[in-house]
Amino acid sequence: MMKEWLVYWMYAVDRHSLQSPFIYRFYDHFIRNRSYTENLRIESLKIELKNNQKIIDIEDFGAGSVANSRQKRSVAYIAKTSTSSTRFSILLHNIIEKYQFTHVLELGTSLGLNTLYMSAAQVENLQIQTIEGSKAIAAIAADNFAELNANNIKLHVGNIDDLLVPIVLGLNQIDLAYLDANHTYEATIRYFDKISYKIHENSIVVVDDIHWSSEMKKAWRTLINHPKVTHSADIYDAGILFFKEGLQKKHFILEF
């Protein structure tokens, strides 16, 4: 991972090197701009979770596991190893709020911290559909949503491959999709294919952990070359896909 970071750092650019007006505005609004501070209620909850030594028995549908295999892990371990940085959570929040996105889909709820940040965006009629494979983890996420009165979140529990198509069929469109689930090449491409027909030109798809493995790097290369994708941005923590019509296909590596 250190080698991946060094390569990213060598090629990442700031706003002064951006020739695309669209990406320049995106960089200014969401990466350079720090107008939204951390949500203290969510950050307090994150601290509680990182200190929660309760052991839970979870199903793991992700990379390197067999579907329905079970592992025992502490809530603290999950919180420390599987949660995004606060800055990244704020990025998701700001994108939803700035563009007034109302139809948000998240694949991989985990403990629900990113979900809560997204749900806190000031958007009328915002609805978040989120899928978590592990019943034990989903139960904790559900408790977190209830504790913070996040009534605009619909939590679905089960295998994404079973749940995704019915959920997508029930949506008029997908404004923002955040893919943070099974980190394999096949699963990532499969998920994207299943949501692609509900994506519009102003949609944004965020793919987590694009530098996590050779499979995720391959998946990212495939996605940025997809015919629907016009611009793409690597911020190391994740990759961001844009579908704006009229833009010449181009890839950016942005300082984050």
Side-chain angles (χ1 to χ4, degrees), residues 218-233:
K218 179 183 176 183
W220 178 239
R221 290 193 299 268
T222 299
L223 290 175
I224 66 177
N225 287 301
H226 191 280
K228 282 193 172 185
V229 174
T230 52
H231 275 12
S232 53

Side-chain angles (χ1 to χ4, degrees), residues 83-97:
T83 55
S84 303
S85 68
T86 298
R87 186 181 177 196
F88 182 76
S89 299
I90 291 172
L91 173 68
L92 295 173
H93 172 282
N94 285 353
I95 289 173
I96 294 170
E97 190 164 281

Side-chain angles (χ1 to χ4, degrees), residues 46-240:
K46 183 187 293 186
I47 293 172
E48 291 179 20
L49 292 168
K50 287 184 176 181
N51 287 290
N52 186 341
Q53 298 304 320
K54 179 182 178 181
I55 303 297
I56 59 175
D57 192 14
I58 68 172
E59 308 93 336
D60 190 349
F61 293 94
S65 68
V66 178
N68 294 316
S69 67
R70 310 186 75 88
Q71 300 180 33
K72 293 184 182 295
R73 299 176 194 166
S74 69
V75 175
Y77 176 84
I78 297 169
K80 290 174 183 177
T81 60
S82 302
T83 55
S84 303
S85 68
T86 298
R87 186 181 177 196
F88 182 76
S89 299
I90 291 172
L91 173 68
L92 295 173
H93 172 282
N94 285 353
I95 289 173
I96 294 170
E97 190 164 281
K98 174 66 177 179
Y99 292 127
Q100 291 292 288
F101 284 160
T102 57
H103 297 83
V104 175
L105 175 64
E106 178 185 44
L107 307 186
T109 315
S110 189
L111 300 174
L113 296 173
N114 276 329
T115 326
L116 285 166
Y117 259 101
M118 292 190 289
S119 75
Q122 298 300 302
V123 179
E124 187 175 358
N125 299 320
L126 169 62
Q127 288 293 320
I128 298 174
Q129 308 288 331
T130 184
I131 306 175
E132 173 54 45
S134 167
K135 293 179 182 178
I137 294 177
I140 296 172
D143 288 342
N144 294 337
F145 300 157
E147 182 177 340
L148 270 66
N149 299 312
N151 300 317
N152 56 356
I153 299 172
K154 174 64 176 177
L155 174 61
H156 306 266
V157 184
N159 193 323
I160 292 174
D161 285 316
D162 299 328
L163 298 175
L164 185 55
V165 170
I167 292 171
V168 171
L169 286 173
L171 298 174
N172 293 328
Q173 62 187 38
I174 296 174
D175 299 323
L176 175 74
Y178 175 45
L179 279 54
D180 184 23
N182 188 338
H183 288 9
T184 63
Y185 174 83
E186 290 80 5
T188 303
I189 301 304
R190 186 168 65 248
Y191 299 157
F192 181 83
D193 288 343
K194 288 180 178 180
I195 69 174
S196 62
Y197 65 96
K198 288 295 180 80
I199 288 170
H200 53 85
E201 72 158 325
N202 294 316
S203 297
I204 293 175
V205 173
V206 180
V207 184
D208 202 65
D209 290 330
I210 59 171
H211 294 280
W212 185 73
S213 67
S214 59
E215 285 204 42
M216 286 306 295
K217 288 187 286 185
K218 179 183 176 183
W220 178 239
R221 290 193 299 268
T222 299
L223 290 175
I224 66 177
N225 287 301
H226 191 280
K228 282 193 172 185
V229 174
T230 52
H231 275 12
S232 53
D234 175 353
I235 60 170
Y236 191 75
D237 296 55
I240 306 174

